[in-house]
Amino acid sequence: MGKTIAIANQKGGVGKTTTAINLAASLAMHKKKVLLIDADPQANATSGLGVDPKQMTSSIYECLVDDYPMRSAAVSTCVEKLDIVGSRIDLVGAELELINKQDRDNTLRNAIAGVKDDYDYILIDCSPSLGVITVNALTAADSVIIPVQAEYFALEGISKLLNTVRIIKSKLNPALSIEGFLLTMYDARLRLANQIYEELKNHFGDMVFTTVIPRNIRLSEAPSHGLPAILYDPSSRGATSHMQLAKELIAKNRKNAK
């Protein structure tokens, strides 16, 4: 049975989608069967993997609103062993359409149940707002990865998200855990970046991934070519750091399964 991991932070611009695309691709490169669910109306994870939202016959919208089977909505990507359930701008409307739906907070969890046995990992790229769909993602997830940008205001956003996780745990998903905090856009030359990493380690200890994701031009360029960094430039620091992150995640889950 696959592990479902939401990638979330209520603060925008922290590298959430970059993490989702590249971690998913890297897990697939490590021979894991992976499904990426794009739960953000901007559909950046979809286009970042070379899938044209306009060409899709179905998306996460249909899965949530029309109970369309997720297995039928999943399409293969440029990476072997990696599938995606894409998103479109109409996902914005799903927020309103789900409001009156019975058991609305469990809609995504119920949809994922049909494919849980097909994959080793199911990653959900969340939008930066705490709407109905993000609540659905956190309710469906076994754990959450929290990308944290290496800058001064980054730590402020964490407390808000941790409060959200606490609420979800108490009301909707008692099993939800924090998979880890991931430092992104890291520049080792900056004292501030190192201070933030140390502060994270002091606060959260082993919950902080050892791997950090550096600022990297190749990582920024890759989505415009519809490719993850590991295919766009396998030797780039952006690609190698995500491969290391995938390795760390796999090792951590193997250890916890014992």
Side-chain angles (χ1 to χ4, degrees):
M1 183 179 282
K3 182 167 192 178
T4 304
I5 303 174
I7 299 172
N9 193 326
Q10 284 154 261
K11 190 175 185 301
V14 297
K16 216 169 28 274
T17 299
T18 300
T19 300
I21 291 171
N22 289 286
L23 176 56
S26 298
L27 286 166
M29 288 290 188
H30 280 290
K31 305 288 186 246
K32 300 297 180 185
K33 191 85 175 79
V34 184
L35 177 66
L36 176 58
I37 298 171
D38 190 350
D40 187 342
Q42 293 178 84
N44 289 336
T46 305
S47 59
L49 279 171
V51 178
D52 184 354
K54 296 189 185 74
Q55 301 296 319
M56 296 187 310
T57 54
S58 56
S59 68
I60 187 63
Y61 174 88
E62 283 79 13
C63 297
L64 292 171
V65 174
D66 303 326
D67 298 322
Y68 188 78
M70 190 163 279
R71 186 175 283 128
S72 302
V75 296
S76 55
T77 69
C78 52
V79 182
E80 193 180 349
K81 290 185 170 288
L82 172 58
D83 295 341
I84 187 168
V85 174
S87 178
R88 285 190 292 242
I89 191 64
D90 59 4
L91 187 60
V92 173
E95 295 270 345
L96 292 171
E97 294 183 63
L98 284 173
I99 282 174
N100 296 318
K101 191 169 183 174
Q102 197 172 6
D103 198 23
R104 69 176 187 204
D105 295 325
N106 282 301
T107 306
L108 185 55
R109 177 191 275 174
N110 296 337
I112 287 173
V115 296
K116 193 102 169 159
D117 292 334
D118 298 351
Y119 297 95
D120 297 306
Y121 289 94
I122 298 169
L123 303 185
I124 309 171
D125 182 28
C126 300
S127 74
S129 63
L130 187 67
V132 175
I133 293 169
T134 301
V135 169
N136 258 266
L138 293 171
T139 304
D142 299 307
S143 63
V144 55
I145 289 176
I146 303 172
V148 181
Q149 190 177 354
E151 63 160 37
Y152 179 71
F153 291 113
L155 299 171
E156 286 186 359
I158 290 179
S159 58
K160 288 180 186 170
L161 185 63
L162 290 178
N163 191 43
T164 299
V165 169
R166 271 194 292 273
I167 293 167
I168 299 283
K169 270 177 75 82
S170 66
K171 297 188 183 306
L172 297 166
N173 183 7
L176 182 64
S177 66
I178 297 198
E179 190 70 44
F181 295 89
L182 175 67
L183 198 63
T184 62
M185 304 180 196
Y186 179 78
D187 187 339
R189 298 168 301 177
L190 299 179
R191 188 190 303 166
L192 177 63
N194 293 299
Q195 284 175 343
I196 287 169
Y197 184 73
E198 288 306 316
E199 207 163 324
L200 275 177
K201 287 295 279 184
N202 288 340
H203 272 87
F204 303 110
D206 291 344
M207 290 165 71
V208 181
F209 284 105
T210 304
T211 307
V212 297
I213 307 300
R215 281 195 181 277
N216 182 246
I217 297 294
R218 293 305 209 201
L219 204 51
S220 305
E221 290 173 350
S224 65
H225 296 268
L227 295 169
I230 196 66
L231 291 187
Y232 179 63
D233 186 350
S235 63
S236 65
R237 288 191 308 135
T240 55
S241 61
H242 280 98
M243 284 294 281
Q244 182 60 39
L245 175 64
K247 191 176 175 183
E248 187 178 346
L249 180 65
I250 292 165
K252 182 179 179 183
N253 282 289
R254 193 179 290 136
K255 183 180 171 187
N256 291 343
K258 286 180 181 176

